[in-house]
Amino acid sequence: RMRGGRSSLWRWPKQATKAKAWTLRTAMDGERRVLFDGKGGNQEAARLNVVLVRPQIPGNVGSVARTCAATRVPLHLVGPLGFVLDDKKLKRAGLDYWPHVCVAVHDSWEEFYEQWQRKHGTQGARLIAFTKLSEQSHHEDGTYRRGDWLLFGSETTGLPEHVHEACARQGTRVRIPMVEDNVRSLNLAVSVGIGTYEALRQIQSDVDA
């Protein structure tokens, strides 16, 4: 379950310190992440971070964790959450990939943002909000760069206004195009997959150029 007082790394109770994904001392401690690759661990600077702000559905979060395992992108959960972290649906959706995900849990947006500003905001990192309120397409060339933090809101209410304001000050906002005649929004896990892979594509293109 979520720990009080400060952001914390979290793991399933039966997963002891053998899982190298959990060797970080605190959730925001430095730029480097230890990501478990099934062969003893792989340490690299995070190209991206995915942040879920107030997620409500455990199955969605489990699916997002699976995407993060596949892309080696750290996952941050910002509370209050709409479920407990030992929810069976959460574990089931993530299957047996949880040991391969670097997961950080933050009790609130205020806690997350204060630590982000102190550890990353002064180093040129950016907050990228995914929202229907933006006019900029998520796949516009040059939208992403290494070290970006991709923010996704609650399935029911999206990102709060103060999060939008923070992204406007220290990043940008983007929109995943969709036909809204019959659909109000995309599934959270689908949105994260679309955004993460597009960001990684652009980052890798910059490296190869």
Side-chain angles (χ1 to χ4, degrees):
R1 297 174 186 273
M2 294 180 66
R3 303 171 186 170
R6 66 175 182 177
S7 301
S8 59
L9 289 172
W10 171 85
R11 56 178 172 266
W12 296 108
K14 292 183 180 180
Q15 291 171 346
T17 55
K18 293 181 181 179
K20 297 182 182 295
W22 312 112
T23 59
L24 290 178
R25 289 173 296 173
T26 61
M28 307 283 282
D29 188 14
E31 286 289 345
R32 300 185 70 80
R33 297 290 185 270
V34 179
L35 305 180
F36 186 71
D37 65 359
K39 299 179 181 179
N42 178 41
Q43 191 175 37
E44 63 177 5
R47 297 166 294 174
L48 293 171
N49 284 269
V50 165
V51 183
L52 304 185
V53 181
R54 301 180 182 177
Q56 300 297 303
I57 301 175
N60 284 338
V61 176
S63 295
V64 169
R66 187 171 178 176
T67 296
C68 289
T71 54
R72 287 186 173 175
V73 171
L75 172 62
H76 297 257
L77 305 179
V78 178
L81 308 180
F83 51 88
V84 294
L85 287 173
D86 57 1
D87 190 293
K88 291 182 179 179
K89 293 180 180 178
L90 177 68
K91 188 173 183 179
R92 186 182 306 119
L95 298 177
D96 56 350
Y97 300 109
W98 282 106
H100 308 280
V101 188
C102 184
V103 184
V105 181
H106 310 268
D107 288 336
S108 67
W109 168 259
E110 290 74 22
E111 177 184 280
F112 166 82
Y113 188 52
E114 187 277 329
Q115 292 191 18
W116 182 88
Q117 285 185 300
R118 176 163 45 86
K119 296 287 186 179
H120 304 278
T122 59
Q123 305 299 319
R126 302 185 305 163
L127 301 172
I128 311 296
F130 281 74
T131 172
K132 294 171 62 175
L133 302 180
S134 175
E135 297 297 326
Q136 178 182 343
S137 172
H138 82 288
H139 56 69
E140 183 176 314
D141 288 341
T143 297
Y144 311 97
R145 64 191 186 205
R146 190 181 186 92
D148 281 346
W149 294 63
L150 311 183
L151 275 63
F152 301 84
S154 163
E155 296 92 335
T156 55
T157 59
L159 290 169
E161 181 60 31
H162 57 274
V163 176
H164 281 276
E165 294 172 356
C167 293
R169 290 192 303 269
Q170 295 175 280
T172 189
R173 303 188 305 173
V174 298
R175 173 190 179 97
I176 299 175
M178 58 174 286
V179 178
E180 299 184 42
D181 293 346
N182 300 306
V183 178
R184 293 188 300 275
S185 63
L186 293 174
N187 173 270
L188 174 60
V190 171
S191 297
V192 172
I194 292 172
T196 299
Y197 275 99
E198 175 59 24
L200 290 173
R201 183 191 70 80
Q202 291 191 21
I203 291 170
Q204 187 60 43
S205 295
D206 290 341
V207 171
D208 295 338

